[in-house]
Amino acid sequence: MNNTEFISEETLEKIMTGVAVAGTAKSLGKEALAKANKGDFKEARNLFSLAKKQFIEVHGYHFDFIQKEASGERVDICLLLVHMEDHIMTTSLFLDSLEDQINLIERVCKLENLINSK
């Protein structure tokens, strides 16, 4: 039995797109963190902003499933849907703390520069 026998092609496409978009958002966030660690805070914030925009997109896919179920339609739970949920949650947690991490790295960098200039 393959996945398309119990999941519609449309649902499968939404799930796989959701996984991909959440992965892109997380990757952009990791790039932002790497830029911050190199002292490029402008680019770090730009990448963080792009990551947040990608994450808003994935919420659209997620909201479609919630709306479908709330309107009384059946939403079949499958491992792929759980996988998408996992990507959404881990990306959400990462992005929730990322802006604070960038700000803290910038503060440490400024303090290091201040100490080194004396």
Side-chain angles (χ1 to χ4, degrees):
M1 176 188 240
N2 67 34
N3 290 339
T4 57
E5 290 180 11
F6 66 93
I7 301 173
S8 73
E9 195 65 35
E10 178 187 350
T11 298
L12 185 59
E13 186 176 323
K14 282 184 183 179
I15 290 170
M16 297 312 289
T17 302
V19 169
V21 173
T24 299
K26 193 173 194 178
S27 292
L28 287 165
K30 287 180 178 183
E31 285 182 53
L33 190 56
K35 291 291 184 182
N37 280 316
K38 291 180 180 176
D40 189 351
F41 300 105
K42 182 178 179 180
E43 184 61 17
R45 287 188 175 85
N46 181 50
L47 288 164
F48 173 71
S49 177
L50 292 173
K52 292 293 272 189
K53 286 178 186 172
Q54 284 287 304
F55 192 70
I56 289 167
E57 182 182 335
V58 82
H59 260 291
Y61 294 106
H62 185 248
F63 186 72
D64 286 347
F65 288 112
I66 292 171
Q67 199 171 30
K68 183 177 179 180
E69 189 169 285
S71 69
E73 291 182 56
R74 181 183 165 107
V75 175
D76 292 318
I77 304 299
C78 63
L79 187 56
L80 291 171
L81 183 58
V82 173
H83 183 63
M84 183 182 87
E85 291 284 331
D86 182 49
H87 273 279
I88 289 170
M89 288 306 302
T90 57
T91 301
S92 177
L93 289 170
F94 175 58
L95 294 179
D96 283 349
S97 66
L98 182 57
E99 189 171 25
D100 289 334
Q101 290 178 50
I102 292 169
N103 290 336
L104 286 172
I105 292 167
E106 185 174 29
R107 287 178 66 193
V108 168
C109 186
K110 286 179 181 177
L111 288 171
E112 286 174 340
N113 289 339
L114 183 65
I115 290 168
N116 290 333
S117 69
K118 289 185 176 188

